[in-house]
Amino acid sequence: MLKNEPEISGFFRSNLLAVRKAIRQQDFKKFSVLESDAERVAFVLSYPEAHELPLEVEKPMIKDRDSAIRLKDIGNKFFGRGEFTKALETYSNAALLAPSTELSIILANRSATLYYLERHEYALEDIEEASLLGYSKDLIYKLEERRARCLLGLKRHDEAIEAFRRALQALDDARISLKRRQKFETDIRMMLAVMDKGKRLNEAAIKNPSQVYSKQKSSARLEDRLIPTKERNPVYPACSRAVEIKDDGGDIGRHAVATRKITPGEIVIVERPHCAFLLAETRLTHCHLCFMRIFVPTPAACRTYSCVAYCSRRCRDADAQVHSQECKLLPALWYSKASVTCFLALRAITQRPFEEVMRLKEQFRDPALKISAKNPYRGDDYINTFYNLVTHEDRRLPEDIFHRAYMATWLFRLLRSSNYLPENVKTADSADNRLSDEELFIAGLLLHNLQLLQFNSHEISELVRLKGQKTLTKTKSVFIGGGVYPTVAMLNHSCNPGVIRYFIGTTMIVRAVRTINAGEEISENYGPIFTTTPESERKRKLRVQYWFDCNCEACSGHWPLLDKLDPTILRFKCETGPSCGNVLMVKSDTNEFMIGCAKCGKSMNILKGLKALQDTDALFKVASTNLEEGRNEHALKAYLEILKLLDETLALPIRDYHICQQGVRLCSLALGNTAYI
Ligand SMILES: C[S@@+](CC[C@H](N)C(=O)[O-])C[C@H]1O[C@@H](n2cnc3c(N)ncnc32)[C@H](O)[C@@H]1O
């Protein structure tokens, strides 16, 4: 979950106070009885003070031709000296700043650098883009020749032959001396002759079927690879069939329950976000769409702003429509230091065209469709899933609602200043104007979004590793953005969670970290965990941010912190099973094997349990060595094996058990987003 989201930054504080001060007490009473979010935002907007905050910033991150050319020239110098890594970085910075008139030459130069760095796929992307942007006709022969060499590097021989041929044709437009032309032509014809011979030999060779298969396999969607379709819950397709979503109403509300025994390591949910947003500080290092670390940045499709970057042209094109609505808003949002929650509230709207959002208005009038196998819970559905996430609106105090309405007001003004709303529904930015119906609808959604985001958004993270360092023990999980995962948002919290989460791009993977028996709740962790945060502190944090009193097993059992857990005491489950449920405390150096249960009166033989513990000692060494030496998959397997063995006989909390869970978490994080620095 998003930790301690600061709602009001310094940019807003004094204006917020000014608006609040302008509202007389009897008028604030009127505000506090308003029933709709739209009316609340309209109320705040009826004060002139609410229009005082600027919507534009001094340095709006617009393209800068001169700086781009200057950087390109520096890049050329690095390139000339063979300093390709520096050249790449400089050309990339130039590309982000360049208007389209300068971009093709910068990309063409960058493609040459990438060719020398043997990053052929990236070079091809730049070559393609440079051609599309109208690269100078007289130089196309060079670009095509480079394309051909990159294709050769990727063993795409047929395409390479085509590109070499195009390079020959483009010689007609080249402005070079006859001597150079002849040399170029001879070189290429020789290449073509060699390749032609190679091609004939290749055609005679039998294709390797296993290669074809592995290619097909890896192109399957991540969700399908991790939870195959037939193993998905038909009503909640992000979950496996091992998960059921129940609703007990009251404080507990919706939550997840295991339909069968779930073993440690099992993947139980794979979900894409309803909406997601990168942090300002990662806007040029990570792809604005898929959140992957960028090796070679692709500038946004818009030709005015230089505020975001993509990992590829594919991501850029997929985001082009949404970005065209958003790019003007981003500099002000970043400058204001508004929380990720504000970005998400806006993104949940701007990611849909205005007309589609207006259609939601009609859909709100229909009774919401009941979620069923015929109408599954779809994370991309605004009304039936996202909109219905918990807001605790009925428990909010007027001051709290006012703060959020104030933020919604600024977001709304910002949105109205862009070209998202059609001109015919826009009203002027003044306290004297009544909002149009369309504006009211959108302003209301913004406030509703802000309310639900407080309780339902997740941090998106990446594991940062040092280049060349094998062990995971010195890595750090860092926050790169936020997102809303509507299915995962129905999981309740426990300070001793049954699952952990990690990310591949923006897709969240939820995996069990202990045995969860059929009928048991599957809970996740919202931040405070019992191993490191004292009970009173956990409870305080959860009450402040999520508005509930935690009564999980760790809180109700007053479990000590990890480093206070006594490793010399073993906690055996009474073997008579859940019907007894007692825990027998035994010293680890005991000589007695028959222990009497004070609750059910029966005796149990702990010999089997002690043997299992011995086995886990050996496994623990295997896991630690593998973790230290970077064999994470082996380490993960050993950790999971330990958890399974301990779950059979011992009751939590157990020091070694929770250390193994930390190992599982680390190894799992390494399977997701990772940055090598
Ligand atoms: C992300 S939602 C979880 C799903 C929620 N139960 C629902 O019905 O949609 C977070 C909210 O669930 C409730 N919640 C989560 N964990 C809880 C727990 N351990 N005990 C009581 N309420 C909890 C709180 O109201 C919290 O603000």
Side-chain angles (χ1 to χ4, degrees):
M1 289 275 165
L2 278 173
K3 281 183 212 133
N4 301 329
E5 270 292 84
E7 287 299 336
I8 307 288
S9 72
F11 176 82
F12 300 104
R13 204 163 296 125
S14 63
N15 181 248
L16 166 76
L17 291 176
V19 178
R20 180 65 189 86
K21 215 169 141 200
I23 307 173
R24 289 177 307 168
Q25 214 36 43
Q26 62 265 41
D27 291 332
F28 196 74
K29 277 195 188 129
K30 286 185 199 151
F31 173 81
S32 62
V33 294
L34 291 176
E35 283 186 353
S36 81
D37 286 330
E39 287 172 301
R40 290 170 182 140
V41 183
F43 178 95
V44 179
L45 278 172
S46 69
Y47 287 82
E49 291 79 358
H51 297 261
E52 280 170 6
L53 266 192
L55 300 173
E56 284 186 1
V57 289
E58 269 176 38
K59 290 186 185 154
M61 299 173 175
I62 48 177
K63 303 267 185 198
D64 178 349
R65 182 175 178 273
D66 293 346
S67 301
I69 292 177
R70 195 174 45 78
L71 283 168
K72 180 198 72 183
D73 293 342
I74 300 174
N76 290 349
K77 286 192 184 130
F78 283 131
F79 182 82
R81 294 201 292 265
E83 295 179 56
F84 298 126
T85 308
K86 284 186 184 158
L88 175 62
E89 196 183 322
T90 319
Y91 285 140
S92 293
N93 290 336
L96 291 171
L97 283 175
S100 52
T101 46
E102 309 306 319
L103 194 54
S104 76
I105 182 135
I106 294 171
L107 295 182
N109 290 4
R110 189 169 73 174
S111 74
T113 315
L114 288 162
Y115 171 72
Y116 282 107
L117 287 168
E118 294 185 27
R119 304 304 296 248
H120 298 127
E121 302 92 335
Y122 291 104
L124 284 174
E125 286 240 326
D126 276 358
I127 291 168
E128 182 62 17
E129 188 66 3
S131 322
L132 289 174
L133 288 168
Y135 191 60
S136 180
K137 238 178 157 190
D138 57 317
L139 294 170
I140 289 282
Y141 74 99
K142 273 208 236 162
L143 209 59
E144 288 300 340
E145 192 225 359
R146 190 174 306 138
R147 192 199 302 264
R149 293 195 185 276
C150 291
L151 288 164
L152 266 186
L154 295 169
K155 299 197 170 34
R156 288 158 60 180
H157 292 102
D158 287 354
E159 291 164 83
I161 291 174
E162 291 301 311
F164 274 130
R165 290 199 178 122
R166 282 198 300 275
L168 281 179
Q169 278 166 13
L171 269 180
D172 292 346
D173 296 314
R175 277 188 257 142
I176 47 174
S177 66
L178 188 63
K179 203 171 150 205
R180 265 188 76 189
R181 177 190 301 261
Q182 280 170 344
K183 169 141 186 9
F184 187 84
E185 215 173 322
T186 319
D187 286 352
I188 290 190
R189 290 207 188 282
M190 267 172 63
M191 278 305 288
L192 282 170
V194 173
M195 288 173 70
D196 204 39
K197 194 170 166 207
K199 191 179 164 211
R200 270 180 277 125
L201 285 175
N202 234 358
E203 275 165 4
I206 300 161
K207 275 189 186 154
N208 180 350
S210 66
Q211 265 178 6
V212 174
Y213 174 70
S214 64
K215 226 175 173 183
Q216 280 170 352
K217 210 174 149 194
S218 65
S219 67
R221 279 170 18 121
L222 182 61
E223 294 92 314
D224 299 334
R225 272 187 280 138
L226 297 177
I227 307 181
T229 316
K230 63 179 190 333
E231 278 158 41
R232 296 233 189 104
N233 180 325
V235 184
Y236 296 95
C239 305
S240 82
R241 284 183 185 271
V243 183
E244 171 179 30
I245 303 292
K246 286 194 164 177
D247 189 351
D248 285 357
D251 286 348
I252 299 295
R254 291 171 291 186
H255 57 284
V257 173
T259 58
R260 58 158 169 81
K261 180 175 172 180
I262 295 172
T263 50
E266 216 180 300
I267 290 178
V268 288
I269 308 181
V270 178
E271 191 169 34
R272 289 177 188 235
H274 178 86
C275 53
F277 221 96
L278 270 181
L279 291 188
E281 49 272 37
T282 50
R283 69 184 179 84
L284 297 179
T285 51
H286 291 71
C287 177
H288 194 60
L289 185 72
C290 75
F291 288 28
M292 289 295 196
R293 273 252 164 188
I294 297 175
F295 175 61
V296 180
T298 300
C302 82
R303 296 280 170 244
T304 323
Y305 295 90
S306 59
C307 47
V308 300
Y310 297 88
C311 66
S312 61
R313 294 192 306 137
R314 207 168 67 158
C315 278
R316 176 202 63 190
D317 294 344
D319 196 43
Q321 171 67 30
V322 175
H323 182 71
S324 69
Q325 306 291 349
E326 249 177 22
C327 59
K328 188 171 178 252
L329 311 176
L330 295 177
L333 270 164
W334 280 320
Y335 178 78
S336 74
K337 295 207 165 44
S339 65
V340 182
T341 321
C342 291
F343 283 76
L344 290 170
L346 201 61
R347 173 53 75 86
I349 295 188
T350 53
Q351 68 185 2
R352 298 180 164 75
F354 169 79
E355 296 70 27
E356 197 184 314
V357 173
M358 283 303 128
R359 279 199 295 278
L360 296 177
K361 205 171 165 188
E362 298 305 313
Q363 289 171 30
F364 274 120
R365 294 202 182 107
D366 289 340
L369 282 173
K370 210 170 150 36
I371 300 292
S372 66
K374 277 202 177 133
N375 177 43
Y377 192 84
R378 283 189 6 245
D380 59 349
D381 176 347
Y382 184 84
I383 295 183
N384 292 317
T385 58
F386 184 81
Y387 187 84
N388 280 334
L389 292 173
V390 143
T391 60
H392 290 314
E393 185 174 338
D394 51 345
R395 287 163 60 188
R396 288 186 187 271
L397 296 174
E399 287 294 349
D400 174 290
I401 292 262
F402 168 72
H403 276 208
R404 283 170 217 278
Y406 168 83
M407 288 310 298
T409 303
W410 188 72
L411 291 175
F412 169 73
R413 288 179 58 231
L414 198 60
L415 186 60
R416 186 171 54 183
S417 73
S418 74
N419 54 2
Y420 182 77
L421 297 164
E423 289 305 317
N424 62 337
V425 306
K426 275 190 199 177
T427 59
D429 186 22
S430 147
D432 304 328
N433 275 318
R434 276 179 61 86
L435 301 187
S436 68
D437 286 352
E438 290 83 355
E439 287 179 324
L440 272 172
F441 182 64
I442 287 189
L445 290 185
L446 281 168
L447 177 51
H448 182 85
N449 292 353
L450 282 177
Q451 293 187 56
L452 72 85
L453 283 159
Q454 177 186 357
F455 304 110
N456 296 287
S457 43
H458 280 89
E459 284 182 359
I460 299 178
S461 62
E462 126 186 309
L463 191 70
V464 177
R465 306 180 61 170
L466 288 182
K467 261 188 206 147
Q469 195 164 59
K470 284 191 203 160
T471 179
L472 287 179
T473 48
K474 297 196 175 84
T475 55
K476 216 168 65 177
S477 173
V478 299
F479 175 23
I480 56 169
V484 181
Y485 296 82
T487 313
V488 182
M490 289 191 284
L491 267 60
N492 277 353
H493 162 92
S494 168
C495 301
N496 173 43
V499 293
I500 48 153
R501 24 171 222 275
Y502 60 96
F503 296 86
I504 297 182
T506 54
T507 302
M508 188 196 282
I509 292 116
V510 179
R511 162 183 273 234
V513 272
R514 60 180 163 90
T515 305
I516 307 171
N517 291 309
E520 251 185 74
E521 180 164 355
I522 306 168
S523 29
E524 70 145 337
N525 184 265
Y526 292 1
I529 197 143
F530 93 88
T531 50
T532 49
T533 313
E535 185 188 326
S536 57
E537 181 60 10
R538 299 196 303 267
K539 289 195 157 194
R540 190 192 61 78
K541 283 188 172 162
L542 293 165
R543 205 172 298 124
V544 168
Q545 198 180 347
Y546 297 102
W547 300 11
F548 71 92
D549 290 314
C550 191
N551 199 25
C552 71
E553 55 182 337
C555 287
S556 56
H558 310 298
W559 290 6
L561 299 178
L562 185 71
D563 56 10
K564 298 272 162 43
L565 276 170
D566 185 348
T568 64
I569 303 283
L570 303 174
R571 295 164 48 84
F572 282 92
K573 289 178 191 167
C574 177
E575 259 192 352
T576 44
S579 57
C580 172
N582 198 20
V583 175
L584 315 183
M585 315 276 252
V586 181
K587 286 288 277 179
S588 56
D589 57 358
T590 183
N591 291 324
E592 286 180 37
F593 301 127
M594 293 304 291
I595 310 288
C597 171
K599 190 172 169 197
C600 67
K602 292 183 185 158
S603 283
M604 74 175 262
N605 187 333
I606 59 164
L607 211 57
K608 189 178 143 227
L610 289 173
K611 166 83 180 58
L613 274 173
Q614 259 177 10
D615 293 348
T616 60
D617 275 352
L619 271 170
F620 192 75
K621 285 193 189 100
V622 172
S624 310
T625 316
N626 278 320
L627 188 70
E628 236 1 272
E629 294 176 4
R631 290 186 296 271
N632 304 329
E633 305 238 347
H634 290 88
L636 180 59
K637 213 169 140 211
Y639 281 130
L640 293 172
E641 198 51 42
I642 299 173
L643 298 183
K644 275 181 218 161
L645 280 171
L646 293 182
D647 274 334
E648 281 171 19
T649 40
L650 296 188
L652 300 182
I654 312 162
R655 196 167 180 276
D656 288 352
Y657 189 95
H658 300 294
I659 292 173
C660 284
Q661 284 185 317
Q662 288 171 355
V664 171
R665 179 169 173 271
L666 215 48
C667 295
S668 302
L669 286 176
L671 296 173
N673 295 340
T674 306
Y676 293 87
I677 54 164

